[in-house]
Amino acid sequence: MKKINLSTNNKLALIALILGFIAVFFGTPYESNKAMVNTEELALNIIDTNNIISPLQLAEWIIQGKVDYRLIDLRDENQYEDYFIPGAENIPPTKIKSSELLRNEKILIYSDDELKTAQSWLLLKTLGYKNVYMLKGGIENWKKSIIFAIVTDETKEAKLIEISKYFGGNPKIGTGSEMNVAQELPKAALPKVQSPPSTGGTKKGKPKREGC
Amino acid sequence: MMAPFYKFDMFGEEFSFIIAFIIGIGFGFFLERAGFGSAKKLTSQFYFTDMAVFKVMFTAIVTAMLGVYYLSLIGFLDYNLIYRNETFLLPQIVGGLILGFGFIIGGYCPGTSLVAASTGKLDGIFFLLGVIAGTFGLSLIFPIIEPFYYSTAMGKLNLSDVLHVPYGILVFAVVLMALGGFIAAEWAEKRFAKKTVEVKNEKD
């Protein structure tokens, strides 16, 4: 048999060719629908109450201008367009996987249904998102405790009134019995919110430059 | 999944700077060793007499692509976390042309000008001053060109998304493209190098 002499370059080219050829049979490694879960970690996460954020806490984050988290509205588009918490992006559960959320980002999710939120939390954890938080009571609780806040003592809770007004809310002063009146306010009374700047990573500042 | 290490919080931002520094030094070192600190070597690719730049860059592309592909395949790397530039088609074509002209005229691309400057090459240092002046100039006129700068935005795009070709097949196609390119480059080198020698001889 004739001996074939290959230079180092030829050998490397041959390796690349073989690896490339094998890739044809493995297809895409990026779109798998299967995922591995660390059940131990998940169980500990469920006990942990630190992953639940109260509306007041969120309101303070927004007022402080915190940008180290992404606020995700899980409801459908129509509900989102009707009203959303300032800064929220609309990503329904079916679009989570194809979304541009990063695995190491702090993600705060809310919906109009706590069960739906909890299920989505599990989905996000399964997909490998590290820091996923839920808004306690969802958007209804947000409306109830921020937008239509009931204040019993005006001087003691001046901060809450200020926060509520910041979000265009309408804080009521009185006892808890008036709560029902506040809840029955028509949706039109909700302050309109400007859409956040388009998603697509603009939130993280200017695109980085990379090149030769 | 454990990579990219930084995105999986294996180390903090400060340490990532140290790593970036080490990788940067390594990148510069190998550019210099490949001869890319010389404007002569770099520009000769535009005359097809020395295709080293093309070969080195395409080798880097193929090596990185195969590495990313197989590391993702075994579940070590989360491909989606790797930073990718977004595509702004038209401004990037225009930018590419400007960079190309600058490359031919000045003899360097931004990275290699740093390599040349750090080895003390005068033309490299002047090129670098030009880069700084150009960056400053761009920032001054940026408000005027901003609409164009962000036009034809297409988001993060992959070849396989655009061509609707399964990933594995695309990987193979790029490898074939590279190998074909290398063969063509070597052929061109022989052909055009001969020509330049002939021209030189005629002049003598």
Side-chain angles (χ1 to χ4, degrees), chain B residues 32 36-39 108 113 115-126:
Chain B
E32 157 63 20
F36 292 179
S38 155
Y108 296 106
S113 74
V115 172
S118 57
T119 56
K121 286 206 172 66
L122 266 182
D123 58 345
I125 291 165
F126 274 92

Side-chain angles (χ1 to χ4, degrees), chain B residues 25-189:
Chain B
I25 295 287
F27 182 57
F29 177 79
F30 284 106
L31 280 181
E32 157 63 20
R33 293 324 297 156
F36 292 179
S38 155
K40 266 187 189 166
K41 177 122 184 157
L42 290 169
T43 43
S44 56
Q45 87 158 328
F46 295 109
Y47 308 99
F48 302 112
T49 52
D50 185 342
M51 300 295 284
V53 176
F54 168 79
K55 284 187 272 185
V56 166
M57 290 304 168
F58 219 154
T59 306
I61 289 169
V62 167
T63 310
M65 178 188 68
L66 288 171
V68 167
Y69 179 82
Y70 279 99
L71 288 176
S72 304
L73 200 66
I74 61 167
F76 181 78
L77 175 74
D78 187 346
Y79 160 81
N80 290 309
L81 291 185
I82 300 174
Y83 178 80
R84 284 178 292 161
N85 268 326
E86 287 176 48
T87 301
F88 299 90
L89 195 60
L90 207 57
Q92 279 168 353
I93 290 172
V94 173
L97 285 172
I98 295 172
L99 187 117
F101 276 117
F103 202 157
I104 298 176
I105 297 165
Y108 296 106
C109 70
T112 49
S113 74
L114 281 168
V115 172
S118 57
T119 56
K121 286 206 172 66
L122 266 182
D123 58 345
I125 291 165
F126 274 92
F127 192 97
L128 199 58
L129 291 175
V131 170
I132 294 164
T135 311
F136 185 68
L138 180 90
S139 69
L140 288 181
I141 62 157
F142 190 72
I144 303 164
I145 60 163
E146 194 170 0
F148 175 69
Y149 192 91
Y150 289 117
S151 63
T152 54
M154 297 168 78
K156 287 177 184 171
L157 275 190
N158 274 355
L159 273 181
S160 66
D161 300 334
V162 179
L163 304 172
H164 301 290
V165 171
Y167 224 100
I169 293 173
L170 194 101
V171 166
F172 187 47
V174 172
V175 171
L176 287 183
M177 204 160 85
L179 296 182
F182 295 154
I183 293 166
E186 307 234 304
W187 174 82
E189 274 172 359

Side-chain angles (χ1 to χ4, degrees), chain A residues 9 13-31 100-104 127-128 130-131 200-202 206-212, chain B residues 6-9 27 57 62 66 68-70 72-73 78-81 83 85-86 88 109-112 142 149-150 156 161 166-169 171-172 175-176 179:
Chain A
N9 284 358
L14 196 62
I15 291 169
L17 190 66
I18 293 165
L19 287 175
F21 185 68
I22 295 170
V24 173
F25 300 100
F26 282 106
T28 163
Y30 315 125
E31 287 166 43
E100 301 218 325
L101 293 172
L102 299 179
R103 299 291 198 282
N104 62 340
L127 287 169
K130 292 249 159 183
N131 308 306
T202 44
K206 281 190 174 178
K208 273 181 249 168
R209 319 252 96 222
E210 284 169 33
C212 84
Chain B
Y6 174 63
K7 302 261 169 103
F8 274 94
D9 274 342
F27 182 57
M57 290 304 168
V62 167
L66 288 171
V68 167
Y69 179 82
Y70 279 99
S72 304
L73 200 66
D78 187 346
Y79 160 81
N80 290 309
L81 291 185
Y83 178 80
N85 268 326
E86 287 176 48
F88 299 90
C109 70
T112 49
F142 190 72
Y149 192 91
Y150 289 117
K156 287 177 184 171
D161 300 334
Y167 224 100
I169 293 173
V171 166
F172 187 47
V175 171
L176 287 183
L179 296 182

Side-chain angles (χ1 to χ4, degrees), chain A:
Chain A
M1 211 176 103
K2 203 181 153 193
K3 205 181 165 207
I4 307 160
N5 273 323
L6 287 174
S7 69
T8 315
N9 284 358
N10 289 343
K11 281 179 202 159
L12 289 172
L14 196 62
I15 291 169
L17 190 66
I18 293 165
L19 287 175
F21 185 68
I22 295 170
V24 173
F25 300 100
F26 282 106
T28 163
Y30 315 125
E31 287 166 43
S32 166
N33 283 319
K34 287 176 194 153
M36 292 270 279
V37 184
N38 183 340
T39 47
E40 182 77 33
E41 190 196 308
L42 206 59
L44 288 171
N45 269 320
I46 293 167
I47 300 170
D48 189 8
T49 50
N50 283 336
N51 52 33
I52 296 166
I53 305 291
S54 73
L56 197 61
Q57 210 170 340
L58 173 62
E60 276 167 3
W61 286 1
I62 297 169
I63 293 169
Q64 285 161 10
K66 274 181 94 157
V67 287
D68 65 339
Y69 69 100
R70 303 261 301 254
L71 184 59
I72 306 301
D73 189 323
L74 298 163
R75 300 170 306 155
D76 65 41
E77 212 180 306
N78 293 334
Q79 288 172 302
Y80 174 77
E81 274 170 14
D82 213 24
Y83 175 77
F84 58 87
I85 300 174
E89 301 162 60
N90 185 215
I91 304 178
T94 46
K95 299 215 173 109
I96 284 175
K97 225 182 133 226
S98 56
S99 72
E100 301 218 325
L101 293 172
L102 299 179
R103 299 291 198 282
N104 62 340
E105 272 178 317
K106 191 170 173 181
I107 298 164
L108 174 55
I109 54 173
Y110 73 84
S111 167
D112 53 358
D113 182 291
E114 286 204 287
L115 284 177
K116 203 170 132 190
T117 310
Q119 287 169 327
S120 304
W121 178 86
L122 190 63
L123 175 65
L124 281 159
K125 291 304 270 190
T126 311
L127 287 169
Y129 289 89
K130 292 249 159 183
N131 308 306
V132 192
Y133 298 82
M134 291 171 280
L135 183 66
K136 191 169 177 59
I139 189 139
E140 294 308 324
N141 193 22
W142 167 266
K143 289 181 196 166
K144 204 171 86 185
S145 50
I146 303 292
I147 309 293
F148 302 123
I150 305 286
V151 184
T152 43
D153 188 332
E154 216 175 324
T155 43
K156 272 185 191 165
E157 295 177 287
K159 201 180 161 201
L160 179 62
I161 296 173
E162 202 181 303
I163 288 173
S164 180
K165 283 188 175 152
Y166 179 90
F167 291 101
N170 187 15
K172 285 266 180 294
I173 295 136
T175 54
S177 61
E178 282 168 50
M179 197 180 265
N180 288 333
V181 184
Q183 263 182 329
E184 278 161 22
L185 276 175
K187 271 204 165 167
L190 287 173
K192 282 285 168 201
V193 177
Q194 286 295 308
S195 276
S198 72
T199 50
T202 44
K203 223 177 171 183
K204 290 180 287 299
K206 281 190 174 178
K208 273 181 249 168
R209 319 252 96 222
E210 284 169 33
C212 84

